[in-house]
Amino acid sequence: MDPRAVLILVAILVAEIGCIANGNFVFPVERRKRSLNAVKAHDARRRGRILSAVDLNLGGNGLPTETGLYFTKLGLGSPPKDYYVQVDTGSDILWVNCVKCSRCPRKSDLGIDLTLYDPKGSETSELISCDQEFCSATYDGPIPGCKSEIPCPYSITYGDGSATTGYYVQDYLTYNHVNDNLRTAPQNSSIIFGCGAVQSGTLSSSSEEALDGIIGFGQSNSSVLSQLAASGKVKKIFSHCLDNIRGGGIFAIGEVVEPKVSTTPLVPRMAHYNVVLKSIEVDTDILQLPSDIFDSGNGKGTIIDSGTTLAYLPAIVYDELIPKVMARQPRLKLYLVEQQFSCFQYTGNVDRGFPVVKLHFEDSLSLTVYPHDYLFQFKDGIWCIGWQKSVAQTKNGKDMTLLGDLVLSNKLVIYDLENMAIGWTDYNCSSSIKVKDEATGIVHTVGAHNISSATTLFMGRILTFFLLLTTMLNN
Ligand SMILES: *[C@@H]1O[C@H](CO)[C@@H](O)[C@H](O)[C@H]1NC(C)=O
Ligand SMILES: *[C@@H]1O[C@H](CO)[C@@H](O)[C@H](O)[C@H]1NC(C)=O
Ligand SMILES: *[C@@H]1O[C@H](CO)[C@@H](O)[C@H](O)[C@H]1NC(C)=O
Ligand SMILES: *[C@@H]1O[C@H](CO)[C@@H](O)[C@H](O)[C@H]1NC(C)=O
């Protein structure tokens, strides 16, 4: 969307919900708070960098028949209130549903209580106006038509067509700083995030797996990770281990010292975490594919995204792969369930009856996808194939390769933005990892979590929360 259009939309919305109507009254107060923050920021800088490891409690699972997403709990405001947000490595900003928002969910079937963020309910909340540096940096220049009392807008459209629009605010984020083995203490940092005013698609009230918002772990300067790193709180390295067997898992910010993983380079200057997929192997056979099918130049390449439930392959790849996957079971008949999944009847052990699929990446890193990962049980004796034919296309009309929780679950995945690399290894996501505290050099254990959530069955609730369009990107 054109930033001007977003600006007008947000100005109307904010006027409607009454935030800016009393702008003359709000702004002197804002300014005073800002200078107070500047003092705190200055103090923090003088105390030096306090690089620490952060433990994010995870809940949910990647099963399309259950939640189909992973979420975490974080604190916002002062005093801090709890918010449950989807963790998404395919988008960049943190946003939460705000008071008086339009079509925001109020209830969730995930067994969690939803909370609307209320700027007036937090002593430290500040509006970010469109003439502030963060806003012009986000939009890659000054915003046309900006007046100081107009809030800085945000608007994101995700891969599934759902969208969120609102304006940026600044407030305290409270997170779990790892201070001992399997122990954490709350720590906070002032960050800028989106206050959601209008939601649509799966983000609106109709959604059964409703959450308070989304935390984007993308690379842009506007992400929480980049903001924490810029204020010297963390290194730009994070990892996740998504447990689709038992739910929840591990999500940590900080340098992982155990387990060790091999890595593949991240394609630079991409809006997402793009890697170079070279070939696919099924039962020791390399699929015969056009050489440029996963070509990584100019917006192509393979996207790694925890916010997507399944895995999407170009049609040519899918049509080669599926017959190979089914080759050991020539008598099985595939039929369509819910108009979208290819399913079959099978009562044996899927790991014995079906082949392992290996994805080979640049620098000899491979990713092994087991039958119990890429097949999911629809109901007793009925299994469905998780691999999907790509529906999204890149700018130059090529089918996109998008690897979501289907292939990322039950692996420790490390995103090392300091070295622009990503790596993974098979891992037990109910166990623990060892993360180094940069300030002290001490290594601490970070364990798995499982924010309790109701087990609900939503067949067909597959999410593709990677960023499709945004006015924030300047690639
Ligand atoms: C942030 O942390 C400091 C130091 O622990 C604490 O005094 C302050 O109350 C915290 N602020 C919020 C908003 O939680
Ligand atoms: C992101 O932040 C870094 C460090 O503050 C800065 O050098 C860089 O220009 C910023 N990038 C963009 C795209 O604004
Ligand atoms: C995974 O780790 C958990 C916790 O340490 C342990 O109880 C479980 O047996 C492990 N699972 C496997 C398959 O090793
Ligand atoms: C995680 O929570 C879900 C839902 O409450 C539960 O079914 C599952 O057994 C839990 N997993 C673990 C490892 O405790």
Side-chain angles (χ1 to χ4, degrees):
M1 218 188 291
D2 176 346
R4 264 163 302 192
V6 181
L7 187 68
I8 293 161
L9 177 58
V10 168
I12 294 167
L13 287 169
V14 171
E16 239 171 46
I17 64 181
C19 247
I20 211 151
N22 52 7
N24 289 340
F25 166 73
V26 170
F27 273 88
V29 181
E30 294 301 325
R31 240 166 250 130
R32 209 177 59 216
K33 274 198 231 146
R34 203 166 296 140
S35 56
L36 203 63
N37 270 347
V39 171
K40 279 191 193 163
H42 174 77
D43 284 350
R45 276 196 299 274
R46 276 213 306 213
R47 282 195 299 268
R49 283 158 68 87
I50 14 169
L51 293 171
S52 53
V54 176
D55 181 1
L56 285 95
N57 288 6
L58 270 192
N61 62 59
L63 296 174
T65 46
E66 293 182 23
T67 18
L69 58 80
Y70 292 90
F71 57 92
T72 187
K73 183 173 88 170
L74 41 85
L76 288 174
S78 40
K81 286 189 184 145
D82 287 342
Y83 296 86
Y84 295 91
V85 291
Q86 184 182 353
V87 289
D88 180 17
T89 64
S91 64
D92 290 301
I93 73 159
L94 163 66
W95 61 265
V96 290
N97 291 317
C98 270
V99 280
K100 296 182 186 160
C101 63
S102 168
R103 295 191 295 276
C104 279
R106 300 297 157 100
K107 273 201 183 136
S108 170
D109 290 346
L110 292 176
I112 50 169
D113 289 329
L114 297 182
T115 308
L116 297 174
Y117 175 78
D118 182 359
K120 293 203 186 81
S122 167
E123 287 161 27
T124 44
S125 180
E126 288 176 49
L127 205 60
I128 297 295
S129 67
C130 61
D131 60 355
Q132 274 174 263
E133 200 188 320
F134 174 89
C135 202
S136 38
T138 293
Y139 286 96
D140 211 14
I143 299 197
C146 169
K147 295 195 199 82
S148 64
E149 72 273 21
I150 299 180
C152 178
Y154 84 84
S155 178
I156 303 171
T157 303
Y158 294 97
D160 68 345
S162 58
T164 171
T165 302
Y167 50 94
Y168 285 107
V169 293
Q170 179 159 21
D171 207 341
Y172 277 88
L173 165 74
T174 302
Y175 52 89
N176 300 320
H177 160 226
V178 179
N179 64 351
D180 205 345
N181 289 334
L182 304 175
R183 268 176 218 279
T184 61
Q187 202 172 62
N188 60 46
S189 185
S190 179
I191 58 145
I192 295 171
F193 59 94
C195 182
V198 179
Q199 314 299 3
S200 68
T202 52
L203 300 172
S204 65
S205 30
S206 58
S207 172
E208 290 153 308
E209 70 286 277
L211 289 162
D212 291 315
I214 294 181
I215 183 167
F217 267 86
Q219 314 165 64
S220 100
N221 282 0
S222 54
S223 72
V224 169
L225 182 73
S226 296
Q227 292 187 52
L228 290 177
S231 57
K233 297 274 163 63
V234 299
K235 261 186 146 181
K236 275 174 121 170
I237 303 176
F238 69 95
S239 52
H240 58 62
C241 199
L242 309 172
D243 191 335
N244 79 354
I245 302 166
R246 314 214 288 169
I250 306 167
F251 200 115
I253 301 177
E255 193 183 330
V256 179
V257 294
E258 209 188 297
K260 290 259 177 285
V261 305
S262 301
T263 62
T264 187
L266 281 167
V267 181
R269 292 177 296 278
M270 285 295 193
H272 299 99
Y273 293 115
N274 285 51
V275 290
V276 179
L277 177 57
K278 301 214 123 161
S279 63
I280 299 183
E281 183 187 328
V282 184
D283 250 353
T284 71
D285 269 1
I286 300 281
L287 297 189
Q288 295 303 309
L289 298 167
S291 61
D292 65 343
I293 192 82
F294 304 119
D295 200 344
S296 74
N298 196 18
K300 294 177 261 178
T302 295
I303 298 173
I304 304 286
D305 175 19
S306 74
T308 290
T309 311
L310 300 171
Y312 297 81
L313 302 169
I316 300 172
V317 180
Y318 179 92
D319 292 340
E320 278 287 313
L321 176 70
I322 300 306
K324 289 251 166 31
V325 159
M326 300 304 293
R328 289 195 209 162
Q329 309 290 343
R331 272 194 292 263
L332 288 185
K333 282 217 168 50
L334 289 176
Y335 60 95
L336 217 55
V337 165
E338 308 264 326
Q339 283 119 48
Q340 52 180 332
F341 296 111
S342 288
C343 305
F344 53 86
Q345 243 173 334
Y346 191 75
T347 46
N349 177 333
V350 290
D351 284 317
R352 284 200 206 111
F354 296 85
V356 157
V357 175
K358 269 192 181 173
L359 309 182
H360 295 285
F361 296 87
E362 194 177 14
D363 279 6
S364 318
L365 179 67
S366 61
L367 188 132
T368 308
V369 192
Y370 299 94
H372 68 261
D373 292 324
Y374 69 72
L375 298 175
F376 62 89
Q377 199 161 13
F378 173 51
K379 49 187 171 196
D380 260 0
I382 312 263
W383 290 81
C384 304
I385 300 174
W387 302 106
Q388 304 295 308
K389 221 178 254 195
S390 184
V391 281
Q393 288 195 331
T394 59
K395 280 179 216 152
N396 37 23
K398 277 211 160 188
D399 286 349
M400 203 177 259
T401 309
L402 182 60
L403 304 179
D405 300 340
L406 180 86
V407 302
L408 302 176
S409 290
N410 310 320
K411 294 188 169 51
L412 181 72
V413 182
I414 301 180
Y415 301 71
D416 182 350
L417 308 189
E418 307 274 344
N419 298 302
M420 282 303 277
I422 188 167
W424 45 72
T425 186
D426 286 355
Y427 208 61
N428 175 353
C429 297
S430 304
S431 64
S432 60
I433 59 171
K434 289 192 161 67
V435 179
K436 188 160 109 189
D437 189 300
E438 291 299 323
T440 60
I442 299 172
V443 170
H444 292 306
T445 307
V446 175
H449 300 280
N450 182 27
I451 299 176
S452 94
S453 63
T455 309
T456 37
L457 296 176
F458 321 114
M459 187 55 186
R461 300 218 67 88
I462 41 164
L463 305 171
T464 47
F465 277 103
F466 69 98
L467 192 69
L468 192 64
L469 292 166
T470 172
T471 43
M472 290 175 348
L473 292 175
N474 44 4
N475 49 333

